[in-house]
Tab-separated table of all heavy atoms in Angstrom:
chain	number	residue	atom	x	y	z
A	28	ASP	N	2.924	-33.662	53.594
A	28	ASP	CA	1.487	-33.610	53.863
A	28	ASP	C	1.232	-33.118	55.286
A	28	ASP	O	2.035	-33.274	56.193
A	28	ASP	CB	0.873	-35.000	53.754
A	28	ASP	CG	0.838	-35.494	52.321
A	28	ASP	OD1	1.391	-34.809	51.438
A	28	ASP	OD2	0.284	-36.584	52.083
A	45	SER	N	-6.571	-52.724	61.114
A	45	SER	CA	-5.642	-53.343	60.166
A	45	SER	C	-4.707	-54.303	60.902
A	45	SER	O	-4.695	-54.368	62.128
A	45	SER	CB	-4.813	-52.257	59.472
A	45	SER	OG	-5.671	-51.348	58.813
A	88	ALA	N	15.514	-60.415	47.490
A	88	ALA	CA	14.262	-61.158	47.685
A	88	ALA	C	13.228	-60.623	46.698
A	88	ALA	O	13.278	-59.466	46.301
A	88	ALA	CB	13.769	-60.972	49.119
A	95	VAL	N	-4.807	-53.926	46.660
A	95	VAL	CA	-5.988	-53.794	47.492
A	95	VAL	C	-5.774	-54.252	48.932
A	95	VAL	O	-5.305	-55.334	49.162
A	95	VAL	CB	-7.182	-54.584	46.936
A	95	VAL	CG1	-8.347	-53.720	46.623
A	95	VAL	CG2	-6.747	-55.447	45.769
A	110	ALA	N	23.782	-58.979	51.147
A	110	ALA	CA	23.409	-58.864	52.546
A	110	ALA	C	23.763	-57.550	53.215
A	110	ALA	O	24.360	-57.526	54.266
A	110	ALA	CB	24.012	-60.028	53.328
A	141	LEU	N	23.870	-49.098	61.247
A	141	LEU	CA	23.385	-48.831	62.611
A	141	LEU	C	22.226	-47.863	62.533
A	141	LEU	O	22.337	-46.847	61.846
A	141	LEU	CB	24.495	-48.227	63.450
A	141	LEU	CG	25.479	-49.210	64.073
A	141	LEU	CD1	26.679	-48.450	64.640
A	141	LEU	CD2	24.819	-50.006	65.195
A	144	GLY	N	19.779	-42.732	66.611
A	144	GLY	CA	18.717	-42.395	67.568
A	144	GLY	C	17.457	-41.955	66.835
A	144	GLY	O	17.391	-41.913	65.621
A	145	CYS	N	16.426	-41.655	67.596
A	145	CYS	CA	15.236	-41.064	66.989
A	145	CYS	C	14.606	-40.151	68.025
A	145	CYS	O	15.119	-40.019	69.141
A	145	CYS	CB	14.250	-42.111	66.464
A	145	CYS	SG	13.291	-42.914	67.717
A	171	GLY	N	29.678	-46.697	60.821
A	171	GLY	CA	28.211	-46.684	60.930
A	171	GLY	C	27.530	-48.005	60.553
A	171	GLY	O	26.296	-48.028	60.451
A	192	ILE	N	14.487	-55.895	78.792
A	192	ILE	CA	13.576	-56.518	77.833
A	192	ILE	C	13.567	-55.709	76.537
A	192	ILE	O	13.369	-54.500	76.562
A	192	ILE	CB	12.136	-56.579	78.426
A	192	ILE	CG1	12.154	-57.466	79.677
A	192	ILE	CG2	11.158	-57.110	77.397
A	192	ILE	CD1	10.834	-57.493	80.426
A	214	ASP	N	16.400	-65.789	78.036
A	214	ASP	CA	15.731	-65.416	79.314
A	214	ASP	C	15.495	-63.904	79.331
A	214	ASP	O	16.227	-63.148	78.707
A	214	ASP	CB	16.628	-65.805	80.484
A	214	ASP	CG	16.499	-67.271	80.837
A	214	ASP	OD1	15.418	-67.851	80.566
A	214	ASP	OD2	17.458	-67.865	81.360
A	236	ILE	N	10.415	-74.156	68.564
A	236	ILE	CA	10.435	-73.115	69.588
A	236	ILE	C	9.401	-73.435	70.666
A	236	ILE	O	8.269	-73.842	70.359
A	236	ILE	CB	10.113	-71.721	68.978
A	236	ILE	CG1	11.047	-71.439	67.797
A	236	ILE	CG2	10.210	-70.623	70.050
A	236	ILE	CD1	10.755	-70.155	67.059
A	277	GLY	N	-16.551	-38.247	73.099
A	277	GLY	CA	-17.833	-38.585	73.711
A	277	GLY	C	-18.709	-39.387	72.762
A	277	GLY	O	-19.931	-39.279	72.799
A	339	ALA	N	1.056	-41.474	74.556
A	339	ALA	CA	0.719	-40.145	74.045
A	339	ALA	C	-0.797	-39.987	73.851
A	339	ALA	O	-1.374	-38.958	74.171
A	339	ALA	CB	1.444	-39.924	72.709
A	340	GLN	N	-1.420	-41.044	73.349
A	340	GLN	CA	-2.865	-40.991	73.109
A	340	GLN	C	-3.607	-40.884	74.437
A	340	GLN	O	-4.594	-40.172	74.553
A	340	GLN	CB	-3.352	-42.272	72.381
A	340	GLN	CG	-2.690	-42.535	71.026
A	340	GLN	CD	-1.415	-43.342	71.130
A	340	GLN	OE1	-0.585	-43.116	71.993
A	340	GLN	NE2	-1.245	-44.295	70.245
A	353	VAL	N	-1.056	-38.532	86.594
A	353	VAL	CA	0.416	-38.621	86.539
A	353	VAL	C	0.784	-39.745	85.559
A	353	VAL	O	0.417	-40.888	85.767
A	353	VAL	CB	1.014	-38.908	87.939
A	353	VAL	CG1	2.551	-38.985	87.848
A	353	VAL	CG2	0.594	-37.842	88.922
A	361	ASN	N	12.720	-40.084	76.181
A	361	ASN	CA	12.314	-38.764	75.678
A	361	ASN	C	10.985	-38.839	74.946
A	361	ASN	O	10.860	-38.370	73.820
A	361	ASN	CB	13.430	-38.224	74.737
A	361	ASN	CG	13.273	-36.779	74.421
A	361	ASN	OD1	12.703	-36.017	75.214
A	361	ASN	ND2	13.732	-36.360	73.258
A	364	LEU	N	7.357	-35.513	73.753
A	364	LEU	CA	7.432	-34.346	72.845
A	364	LEU	C	6.053	-33.810	72.497
A	364	LEU	O	5.875	-32.620	72.248
A	364	LEU	CB	8.216	-34.702	71.577
A	364	LEU	CG	9.709	-34.945	71.818
A	364	LEU	CD1	10.390	-35.443	70.560
A	364	LEU	CD2	10.411	-33.686	72.335
A	380	GLY	N	11.283	-34.815	83.916
A	380	GLY	CA	11.978	-36.079	83.631
A	380	GLY	C	11.027	-37.052	82.970
A	380	GLY	O	10.445	-36.777	81.950
A	386	ARG	N	-3.343	-31.807	84.250
A	386	ARG	CA	-4.488	-31.362	85.047
A	386	ARG	C	-5.637	-31.023	84.086
A	386	ARG	O	-5.434	-30.321	83.113
A	386	ARG	CB	-4.116	-30.122	85.871
A	386	ARG	CG	-3.213	-30.478	87.055
A	386	ARG	CD	-2.636	-29.217	87.718
A	386	ARG	NE	-1.260	-29.528	88.136
A	386	ARG	CZ	-0.178	-29.383	87.388
A	386	ARG	NH1	-0.286	-28.909	86.164
A	386	ARG	NH2	1.007	-29.717	87.839
A	389	THR	N	-9.276	-29.298	80.449
A	389	THR	CA	-9.025	-27.988	79.844
A	389	THR	C	-9.573	-27.996	78.436
A	389	THR	O	-9.344	-28.959	77.685
A	389	THR	CB	-7.527	-27.666	79.767
A	389	THR	OG1	-6.846	-28.814	79.232
A	389	THR	CG2	-6.922	-27.325	81.099
A	408	VAL	N	-3.576	-35.737	66.604
A	408	VAL	CA	-4.813	-35.889	65.819
A	408	VAL	C	-5.993	-36.050	66.774
A	408	VAL	O	-7.031	-35.415	66.632
A	408	VAL	CB	-4.724	-37.081	64.824
A	408	VAL	CG1	-6.073	-37.386	64.211
A	408	VAL	CG2	-3.687	-36.808	63.755
A	414	ALA	N	-10.594	-30.377	69.857
A	414	ALA	CA	-10.270	-28.941	69.999
A	414	ALA	C	-11.298	-28.093	69.265
A	414	ALA	O	-11.911	-28.531	68.300
A	414	ALA	CB	-8.882	-28.716	69.422
A	416	GLY	N	-12.339	-25.173	66.729
A	416	GLY	CA	-11.735	-24.608	65.526
A	416	GLY	C	-10.851	-25.607	64.786
A	416	GLY	O	-11.071	-26.810	64.882
A	421	ASP	N	1.270	-30.927	61.320
A	421	ASP	CA	2.313	-30.939	60.297
A	421	ASP	C	3.135	-32.223	60.395
A	421	ASP	O	3.186	-32.834	61.425
A	421	ASP	CB	3.210	-29.709	60.532
A	421	ASP	CG	3.668	-29.149	59.214
A	421	ASP	OD1	3.632	-29.882	58.213
A	421	ASP	OD2	4.032	-27.946	59.182
A	443	ARG	N	-13.820	-34.725	60.766
A	443	ARG	CA	-13.405	-33.981	59.559
A	443	ARG	C	-11.889	-33.788	59.582
A	443	ARG	O	-11.384	-32.906	60.246
A	443	ARG	CB	-14.054	-32.586	59.574
A	443	ARG	CG	-15.503	-32.574	59.197
A	443	ARG	CD	-15.782	-31.672	57.981
A	443	ARG	NE	-17.169	-31.847	57.609
A	443	ARG	CZ	-18.107	-30.966	57.852
A	443	ARG	NH1	-17.829	-29.798	58.411
A	443	ARG	NH2	-19.364	-31.214	57.531
Side-chain angles (χ1 to χ4, degrees):
D28 290 5
S45 302
V95 239
L141 276 169
C145 77
I192 298 175
D214 279 333
I236 306 175
Q340 301 89 317
V353 180
N361 193 28
L364 291 174
R386 287 169 216 88
T389 46
V408 170
D421 217 339
R443 284 238 174 105

